[in-house]
Amino acid sequence: NYIEINRQDRMLQLSNVAFDGSVFDIYGALLNGGGLVMIRKEDVFSTARLSAVIKKEAIDLLFITTALFNLLVDLNVECFDHVRKVLFGGEKVSVEHCRKALAYLGKDRIVHVYGPTETTVYATSFPVNFIGESPPTIAIGAPISNTTAYILDKHSNLLPPMVYGEVYIGGDGVARGYLNQPGLTAERFVPS
């Protein structure tokens, strides 16, 4: 419910396969009949070359880390001209960069996604269509399909809206635990 991928879409396989973001890149394209554009390592490490690939390959959908989003917004926001949806996440959001991207790209093109690796890949999404005068950050948004998100206190009690707490995520995308690490699994995962 956070993005539509179709067979006309071209997605850039930008994430390293060791990073859970690659699951979105690879399977998002392949399971929806879209095109998956591979990128050379040397093109990833040069913003000028990466920008050129995004434009030349007519990329429609793109997931990038927040830091890379910020860099491309600063150095060449025009590289997103053809991109239908830019998904970004994984680090603290820069309101300034979101504001600049929104002013250039317009509504319905930028999506802030959130989800720890244990939720492969995203748990929540927030379409960045409006930014108030001086918000402290950009919201992580609402849970995606088949996902739940709760804000709990230190005693695992549900907190009301606008109260700080710890994010707990449930649903089909949550891992069952850490491979061969029962202690860490018991510490970090709540039995359902």
Side-chain angles (χ1 to χ4, degrees), residues 14 52 69 81 89 147 167 169:
L14 183 60
F69 172 77
D81 283 350
T147 303
V167 177
I169 299 168

Side-chain angles (χ1 to χ4, degrees), residues 3 10-15 24-25 39 50-51 53-55 59-65 68-69 72 79-80 83-89 109-111 113 122:
I3 193 161
R10 295 174 56 78
M11 298 177 68
L12 185 61
Q13 205 281 296
L14 183 60
S15 299
F24 174 79
D25 298 339
I39 190 166
L50 175 58
S51 296
V53 168
I54 293 169
K55 286 186 123 177
I59 300 301
D60 297 293
L61 301 171
L62 176 67
F63 167 68
I64 53 180
T65 63
L68 187 52
F69 172 77
L72 290 173
C79 75
F80 298 131
V83 180
R84 182 169 55 83
K85 295 279 185 184
V86 177
L87 287 78
F88 74 96
R109 303 216 18 224
I110 309 165
V111 181
V113 290
Y122 318 120

Side-chain angles (χ1 to χ4, degrees), residues 173-185:
V174 177
R176 288 185 239 150
Y178 298 111
L179 183 62
N180 299 323
Q181 296 187 32
L184 189 57
T185 296

Side-chain angles (χ1 to χ4, degrees), residues 101-182:
L102 179 60
Y104 183 81
L105 296 171
K107 291 184 176 183
D108 298 323
R109 303 216 18 224
I110 309 165
V111 181
H112 179 219
V113 290
Y114 167 80
T117 300
E118 293 82 356
T119 63
T120 309
V121 173
Y122 318 120
T124 67
S125 70
F126 182 78
V128 182
N129 288 327
F130 172 80
I131 300 173
E133 195 168 312
S134 58
T137 191
I138 301 295
I140 64 170
I144 64 171
S145 294
N146 303 317
T147 303
T148 56
Y150 304 98
I151 308 297
L152 305 179
D153 66 16
K154 63 182 178 181
H155 304 292
S156 298
N157 297 311
L158 188 62
L159 292 169
M162 306 308 289
V163 175
Y164 291 99
E166 185 87 18
V167 177
Y168 282 71
I169 299 168
D172 294 341
V174 177
R176 288 185 239 150
Y178 298 111
L179 183 62
N180 299 323
Q181 296 187 32

Side-chain angles (χ1 to χ4, degrees), residues 30-50:
L30 298 180
L31 293 175
N32 290 285
L36 181 63
V37 177
M38 305 302 285
I39 190 166
R40 295 179 318 182
K41 187 178 188 179
E42 54 270 17
D43 292 338
V44 174
F45 297 117
S46 162
T47 53
R49 290 167 77 164
L50 175 58

